[in-house]
Amino acid sequence: MHRHSLYLAFSLAATTLIAPALRGQASVTSPDGRNQVTVQVRDGRVYYGLTHDGRALILPSLLGFAFRGAAPLRDSLRITDTARDTHDETWTQPWGEVARVRDHHNELAVGLAETAAPNRRFTVRVRVFNDGVGFRYELPEQPGLGAFEITDELTEFALADNARAWWLPSNWPRKDRSEELFSSGPVSTLDSVQTPLTMELRDGHTVMVIHEADLEDYARMFLAGPRMEGRTLRVALAPMADGIKVRGHTPFVTPWRTIQVADRVTDLAPSVLGLNLNPPNVLPRTDWIKPMKFVGVWWGMHIGTMTWSSGPRHGATTANAKRYIDFAAANGFGGVLVEGWNTGWDGDWIANRDAFSFTQPYPDYDLPEVARYAQSKGIRLIVHNETSGGIQNYERQMDSAFALYHSLGLDAIKTGYVTDLTSEGHSHYSQFMVQHYRRVIAAAAKDGIALDVHEPMHDTGERRTYPNMMSREGARGQEYNAWSGDGGNPPEHETILFFTRMLDGPMDFTPGIFDILRTKTGPARRIDEPRVRTTLAKQLALYVVLYSPLQMAADLPENYEHQPAFQFIRDVAVDWDTTRVLDGRIGDYVVVARRVRGGATWFVGAITDEQARTLDVPLSFLTPGRNYVAEIYADGPNANWLDNPLPVTISRRLVTRATRLRVMLAPGGGQAIRIRPAP
Ligand code: NOJ
């Protein structure tokens, strides 16, 4: 049946007085009544659909699985039973973009069974919130379904509107990296894309985001596009080396498939739908998991003034690490990252992935001494573990390495996985890797270690269950401005990131490059030579706009010396009570205000693409009857990202909640504001 007539049949059935169960369908509505999901069996197949204010967003879309060695779980189905529940609870995050999160949803569980042998059974569980929906499959233990191998998940998203999507390509298994530039276009033109997939409907304001939550023992989800055949996106799972997507055994549950819905793009963030669909914290104590700003022996390697490997430019020497620790301590930072400290970097460190030691330092790096020195200065030393995808090599050493770090009082590591495929040939995003990342999170938690993961699995809300999973990369970060063959991230990049990648969780973007024109290493002359494509003021604003509980000041310490604008990085907070998106358009600009966790100070960050803009920003979020001092770091006269990125004008003024700020952004520019209560 054609999808639209199927949808019509759906609506007619819903409006007649025939008992819904007899028609083989059941619906569930969000607490505010605006989002409704209907699960229906027609001609033996099960479909779900989503409406918002009575308007179809997702037309009836197929559910089911294909297996190796067994018939698909898709046909001859009937609804056996339904169960309902409702939930309203507000929980507190140990750290986050917001302190308190409300989980208010209505739930419908639809039991389904094959009417023919082997009479397999499963449940589709749906939770409908005011900000979107989640649904997942549950496969109970049963005689007809024990061990299984999923070759395809048949879930579809039949979009009612040819919405405009902002997307990252995904041509797995090889090219499945998240470090790509975004494209945008109508859903009907998509090929194979990553999630979160943000879409703006043609009504000009409604937005939807498809993603997944609680990815625990499954393959990462991609979406295979319609290739001009309509508007139905299908789930595509990252494969293991033998092509199988998921191996499992009943009882089994899949991750949640999520669809966030908002009336305006500015209502998308902070996004908590995925967090609400993850199990609560399992760690007995979370008080040791502390957000912080850090500096690191890092940017020098990316611009080529230092090396990870041994030799005359080796970055990770005891003396250099101590220099960074002194700088961090003098400027109020929480941590220092040191990369290239462990043996294995000499030669081709990507190919030689099994040569990495995670306990053996290079002779010119005295790990216990650096750890002791850091501690004496109140600085946390962040240990670096690059695996290059050598998973077995890492897992072999993981327990002893984490125990060593723990014994030295080290409680944070940055991991890395620079390769498309693991040594065993599994996709970077396969079930094998999902299991690996989860093992690392649990092992780190056991030894009191927090994580910042580069080349990670995409974020599906693990931080709720394991708050030591603090930050990750998972998109093109600042490093592309150091060496990328296409010149680096274009000025619009971060204005898209905010409404796409950042909806799944924190990102270790590594802002704060002040030597924008690369004067220390020879300036970029041609347009395709790598350099930072923002103004300096925009680098400051990124600390507020791009949320991370671990926020780096990425430049070389010497580039911050005698720079008045550095004061903003010293002052800016990394943990928030409240977050408000004040204004924005995907790919154009965004203005974000955040209030410090447990404090009265606000920070505002505004960034634009290559267009200059003047924005009217009302400060109506401030407390009534209170006076504040706004410290404003604005693009200076004639600033622009291309040839005059450095001028920053720093000013101070008294403001109240009645103030409207005129925020002027240069081309590729930004503005960063600290608003503290007046003394
Ligand atoms: C890529 C990471 O994103 C970067 O931060 C790191 O320095 C290198 N890999 C080396 O591990």
Short mmCIF file of all heavy atoms in Angstrom, two decimals, residues 353-373:
data_model
loop_
_atom_site.label_atom_id
_atom_site.label_comp_id
_atom_site.label_asym_id
_atom_site.label_seq_id
_atom_site.Cartn_x
_atom_site.Cartn_y
_atom_site.Cartn_z
N ARG A 353 50.39 0.12 15.48
CA ARG A 353 49.49 0.34 16.63
C ARG A 353 49.69 -0.64 17.77
O ARG A 353 49.38 -0.32 18.91
CB ARG A 353 48.05 0.32 16.16
CG ARG A 353 47.68 -0.88 15.30
CD ARG A 353 46.32 -0.58 14.73
NE ARG A 353 45.89 -1.48 13.70
CZ ARG A 353 44.82 -1.24 12.96
NH1 ARG A 353 44.12 -0.14 13.14
NH2 ARG A 353 44.45 -2.08 12.04
N ASP A 354 50.22 -1.82 17.42
CA ASP A 354 50.37 -2.77 18.52
C ASP A 354 51.67 -2.54 19.29
O ASP A 354 51.97 -3.27 20.23
CB ASP A 354 50.27 -4.20 17.98
CG ASP A 354 48.85 -4.46 17.48
OD1 ASP A 354 47.93 -3.78 17.97
OD2 ASP A 354 48.67 -5.31 16.59
N ALA A 355 52.43 -1.51 18.89
CA ALA A 355 53.70 -1.23 19.58
C ALA A 355 53.52 -0.27 20.75
O ALA A 355 54.45 -0.07 21.53
CB ALA A 355 54.70 -0.63 18.59
N PHE A 356 52.35 0.32 20.89
CA PHE A 356 52.18 1.28 21.99
C PHE A 356 52.23 0.61 23.35
O PHE A 356 51.56 -0.39 23.59
CB PHE A 356 50.83 2.00 21.88
CG PHE A 356 50.83 3.16 20.93
CD1 PHE A 356 49.99 3.18 19.82
CD2 PHE A 356 51.67 4.26 21.15
CE1 PHE A 356 49.99 4.26 18.96
CE2 PHE A 356 51.66 5.34 20.29
CZ PHE A 356 50.83 5.33 19.18
N SER A 357 53.03 1.19 24.23
CA SER A 357 52.96 0.81 25.65
C SER A 357 52.15 1.89 26.35
O SER A 357 52.29 3.07 26.03
CB SER A 357 54.36 0.74 26.25
OG SER A 357 54.26 0.74 27.67
N PHE A 358 51.34 1.49 27.31
CA PHE A 358 50.55 2.48 28.04
C PHE A 358 51.06 2.67 29.47
O PHE A 358 50.42 3.31 30.28
CB PHE A 358 49.07 2.11 27.99
CG PHE A 358 48.57 2.09 26.58
CD1 PHE A 358 48.41 0.89 25.89
CD2 PHE A 358 48.33 3.28 25.91
CE1 PHE A 358 48.01 0.88 24.56
CE2 PHE A 358 47.92 3.28 24.58
CZ PHE A 358 47.76 2.07 23.91
N THR A 359 52.24 2.07 29.72
CA THR A 359 52.85 2.22 31.05
C THR A 359 54.30 2.70 30.96
O THR A 359 54.83 3.23 31.92
CB THR A 359 52.83 0.87 31.81
OG1 THR A 359 53.40 -0.12 30.95
CG2 THR A 359 51.42 0.47 32.20
N GLN A 360 54.94 2.50 29.80
CA GLN A 360 56.38 2.76 29.68
C GLN A 360 56.64 4.16 29.12
O GLN A 360 56.40 4.42 27.95
CB GLN A 360 56.96 1.70 28.73
CG GLN A 360 58.43 1.81 28.44
CD GLN A 360 59.26 1.58 29.70
OE1 GLN A 360 59.08 0.58 30.39
NE2 GLN A 360 60.14 2.53 30.01
N PRO A 361 57.14 5.08 29.94
CA PRO A 361 57.41 6.42 29.41
C PRO A 361 58.71 6.44 28.59
O PRO A 361 59.57 5.58 28.76
CB PRO A 361 57.58 7.29 30.66
CG PRO A 361 57.46 6.39 31.84
CD PRO A 361 57.45 4.97 31.37
N TYR A 362 58.85 7.45 27.72
CA TYR A 362 60.14 7.70 27.07
C TYR A 362 61.14 8.11 28.14
O TYR A 362 60.75 8.67 29.19
CB TYR A 362 59.99 8.83 26.04
CG TYR A 362 59.47 8.36 24.69
CD1 TYR A 362 58.24 8.78 24.21
CD2 TYR A 362 60.24 7.50 23.91
CE1 TYR A 362 57.77 8.36 22.98
CE2 TYR A 362 59.79 7.07 22.67
CZ TYR A 362 58.55 7.49 22.21
OH TYR A 362 58.10 7.07 20.99
N PRO A 363 62.45 7.84 27.90
CA PRO A 363 63.45 8.11 28.94
C PRO A 363 63.50 9.58 29.39
O PRO A 363 63.87 9.85 30.53
CB PRO A 363 64.78 7.73 28.25
CG PRO A 363 64.42 6.90 27.08
CD PRO A 363 63.01 7.20 26.70
N ASP A 364 63.10 10.51 28.51
CA ASP A 364 63.18 11.92 28.93
C ASP A 364 61.90 12.40 29.61
O ASP A 364 61.70 13.60 29.82
CB ASP A 364 63.53 12.83 27.73
CG ASP A 364 62.61 12.63 26.54
OD1 ASP A 364 61.77 11.70 26.59
OD2 ASP A 364 62.72 13.40 25.56
N TYR A 365 61.02 11.46 29.93
CA TYR A 365 59.77 11.82 30.63
C TYR A 365 59.66 10.98 31.88
O TYR A 365 59.45 9.76 31.83
CB TYR A 365 58.57 11.59 29.72
CG TYR A 365 57.25 12.07 30.29
CD1 TYR A 365 56.94 13.44 30.32
CD2 TYR A 365 56.31 11.17 30.78
CE1 TYR A 365 55.73 13.88 30.82
CE2 TYR A 365 55.09 11.61 31.28
CZ TYR A 365 54.80 12.96 31.30
OH TYR A 365 53.60 13.41 31.80
N ASP A 366 59.78 11.62 33.04
CA ASP A 366 59.71 10.92 34.33
C ASP A 366 58.26 11.01 34.83
O ASP A 366 57.87 11.99 35.47
CB ASP A 366 60.69 11.60 35.29
CG ASP A 366 60.78 10.88 36.62
OD1 ASP A 366 59.87 10.08 36.94
OD2 ASP A 366 61.75 11.14 37.36
N LEU A 367 57.49 9.99 34.48
CA LEU A 367 56.04 10.04 34.78
C LEU A 367 55.75 10.26 36.27
O LEU A 367 54.98 11.17 36.62
CB LEU A 367 55.35 8.78 34.24
CG LEU A 367 53.86 8.65 34.58
CD1 LEU A 367 53.02 9.72 33.90
CD2 LEU A 367 53.32 7.26 34.19
N PRO A 368 56.37 9.44 37.18
CA PRO A 368 56.06 9.66 38.61
C PRO A 368 56.44 11.07 39.06
O PRO A 368 55.70 11.69 39.84
CB PRO A 368 56.91 8.60 39.33
CG PRO A 368 57.17 7.55 38.30
CD PRO A 368 57.23 8.25 36.98
N GLU A 369 57.55 11.59 38.55
CA GLU A 369 57.99 12.92 38.96
C GLU A 369 57.02 14.00 38.43
O GLU A 369 56.65 14.94 39.14
CB GLU A 369 59.42 13.17 38.45
CG GLU A 369 59.93 14.60 38.56
CD GLU A 369 59.90 15.18 39.99
OE1 GLU A 369 59.75 14.41 40.96
OE2 GLU A 369 60.00 16.42 40.12
N VAL A 370 56.58 13.85 37.18
CA VAL A 370 55.64 14.83 36.62
C VAL A 370 54.32 14.76 37.39
O VAL A 370 53.72 15.79 37.73
CB VAL A 370 55.41 14.60 35.10
CG1 VAL A 370 54.36 15.56 34.56
CG2 VAL A 370 56.71 14.79 34.33
N ALA A 371 53.90 13.52 37.72
CA ALA A 371 52.65 13.36 38.48
C ALA A 371 52.78 14.03 39.85
O ALA A 371 51.87 14.73 40.30
CB ALA A 371 52.33 11.87 38.64
N ARG A 372 53.92 13.82 40.49
CA ARG A 372 54.14 14.41 41.82
C ARG A 372 54.15 15.94 41.72
O ARG A 372 53.52 16.64 42.52
CB ARG A 372 55.48 13.90 42.37
CG ARG A 372 55.77 14.32 43.81
CD ARG A 372 57.26 14.32 44.13
NE ARG A 372 58.05 15.23 43.32
CZ ARG A 372 58.06 16.56 43.45
NH1 ARG A 372 57.32 17.16 44.35
NH2 ARG A 372 58.80 17.31 42.63
N TYR A 373 54.84 16.44 40.70
CA TYR A 373 54.95 17.90 40.54
C TYR A 373 53.57 18.52 40.29
O TYR A 373 53.22 19.55 40.88
CB TYR A 373 55.88 18.19 39.36
CG TYR A 373 56.25 19.66 39.25
CD1 TYR A 373 57.15 20.23 40.15
CD2 TYR A 373 55.70 20.46 38.25
CE1 TYR A 373 57.49 21.57 40.05
CE2 TYR A 373 56.04 21.80 38.15
CZ TYR A 373 56.93 22.36 39.05
OH TYR A 373 57.27 23.68 38.96
#
